[in-house]
Amino acid sequence: LRKVDGEVRLSEDEVAWLLTDGVDYFTPELREGYHRIEADFHADAFRKNRDPWSAVNASSHYRKCRESKTAESILSSIDTAGLKSRKLKSALCTTHGGAKRDLRKYEEALDLGAQAHQMTPLDFRPCTLLGAVNMEIGQLQLGQSWFDKAVERGFSEKQVDRELRSIFMRLEKPKQEALRNHLLSIDSHRYSWAKRKSGKQ
């Protein structure tokens, strides 16, 4: 707590402890502070070395501390056309698409996700982005198919369920109702949490 209050980076061992034995102490406020410090560190590194991977790391952390607009600004400054690594270009498109999703710029998020998937078709990350965005805009069958593709590429069903629950909790009521019906039609036991949230027995 003293480190985060003083804007000092936590060590790998400290973060590992917070994610395991100390998870009860890793409050939302502490998580946000940790991610903001990490984001600023990687953003400073990017400004100094112009290494796009630093921008990817910065974006990931900015998104986790509700600073997606800052992530979008950093990523928009990178010209991906001159980059040779498909993996790097895909990572940039995916995290940029994630920032666009956070800001509800869904069409741009879908376009970036599609670019990332085209560059790295065996990577689950673009699939999860496309799955999440489609679910949020109400394209439920298409979103489900992208999540299925993500599972085929190594994303676990448990992670999909966690993502779906997070999406469900953030949706407005009409879209939440549609997603509830969609999930319960697939597996009422697996998605029983959606049923409970509706107040149904």
Side-chain angles (χ1 to χ4, degrees), residues 4 28-38 65:
V4 171
E29 294 81 5
L30 182 54
R31 284 177 185 269
E32 189 169 312
Y34 158 71
H35 286 300
R36 183 170 287 107
I37 291 168
E38 288 298 304
C65 64

Side-chain angles (χ1 to χ4, degrees), residues 15-82:
V15 175
W17 181 81
L18 284 169
L19 293 172
T20 52
D21 294 344
V23 67
D24 290 341
Y25 300 100
F26 209 9
T27 62
E29 294 81 5
L30 182 54
R31 284 177 185 269
E32 189 169 312
Y34 158 71
H35 286 300
R36 183 170 287 107
I37 291 168
E38 288 298 304
D40 290 342
F41 171 82
H42 290 291
D44 286 342
F46 173 66
R47 282 189 282 270
K48 293 173 183 175
N49 59 31
R50 303 305 296 177
D51 180 356
W53 281 114
S54 294
V56 171
N57 291 329
S59 172
S60 176
H61 287 288
Y62 274 128
R63 291 185 61 210
K64 291 173 183 174
C65 64
R66 298 182 293 177
E67 293 284 348
S68 296
K69 199 165 185 179
T70 303
E72 180 190 37
S73 177
I74 292 172
L75 295 166
S76 296
S77 71
I78 301 173
D79 180 12
T80 59

Side-chain angles (χ1 to χ4, degrees), residues 19-20 23-24 43 49 57 82 87 90 103 123 128 168 171 192 194:
L19 293 172
T20 52
V23 67
D24 290 341
N49 59 31
N57 291 329
K87 182 179 179 180
S90 176
L103 298 169
D123 187 352
T128 60
F168 178 84
L171 288 177
S192 59

Side-chain angles (χ1 to χ4, degrees), residues 14-200:
E14 288 167 332
V15 175
W17 181 81
L18 284 169
L19 293 172
T20 52
D21 294 344
V23 67
D24 290 341
Y25 300 100
F26 209 9
T27 62
E29 294 81 5
L30 182 54
R31 284 177 185 269
E32 189 169 312
Y34 158 71
H35 286 300
R36 183 170 287 107
I37 291 168
E38 288 298 304
D40 290 342
F41 171 82
H42 290 291
D44 286 342
F46 173 66
R47 282 189 282 270
K48 293 173 183 175
N49 59 31
R50 303 305 296 177
D51 180 356
W53 281 114
S54 294
V56 171
N57 291 329
S59 172
S60 176
H61 287 288
Y62 274 128
R63 291 185 61 210
K64 291 173 183 174
C65 64
R66 298 182 293 177
E67 293 284 348
S68 296
K69 199 165 185 179
T70 303
E72 180 190 37
S73 177
I74 292 172
L75 295 166
S76 296
S77 71
I78 301 173
D79 180 12
T80 59
L83 301 176
K84 295 180 180 179
S85 169
R86 295 173 73 85
K87 182 179 179 180
L88 172 57
K89 290 171 76 171
S90 176
L92 285 165
C93 285
T94 302
T95 193
H96 201 173
K100 296 285 189 182
R101 172 198 167 196
D102 296 340
L103 298 169
R104 300 191 177 188
K105 298 179 179 181
Y106 294 125
E107 289 301 320
E108 293 175 66
L110 288 172
D111 181 58
L112 286 162
Q115 290 180 50
H117 179 64
Q118 185 175 20
M119 285 182 279
T120 54
L122 299 181
D123 187 352
F124 66 78
R125 294 168 185 84
C127 299
T128 60
L129 169 62
L130 291 166
V133 175
N134 277 292
M135 285 292 186
E136 289 182 3
I137 64 176
Q139 299 289 340
L140 304 182
Q141 292 293 346
L142 185 55
Q144 191 71 49
S145 70
W146 278 112
F147 276 128
D148 290 344
K149 288 182 175 69
V151 171
E152 291 169 3
R153 288 157 176 77
F155 201 60
S156 73
E157 287 189 347
K158 189 174 181 179
Q159 289 171 301
V160 169
D161 291 352
R162 190 181 303 123
E163 181 69 21
L164 286 171
R165 187 165 187 164
S166 176
I167 291 168
F168 178 84
M169 296 302 293
R170 293 196 307 270
L171 288 177
E172 297 174 356
K173 284 190 176 181
K175 288 186 176 180
Q176 191 180 73
E177 182 67 20
L179 180 55
R180 173 188 296 119
N181 293 335
H182 172 76
L183 294 175
L184 293 177
S185 71
I186 296 172
D187 190 329
S188 60
H189 177 71
R190 177 177 173 182
Y191 300 115
S192 59
W193 49 263
K195 191 173 183 179
R196 288 196 298 272
K197 291 296 179 184
S198 71
K200 300 175 184 176

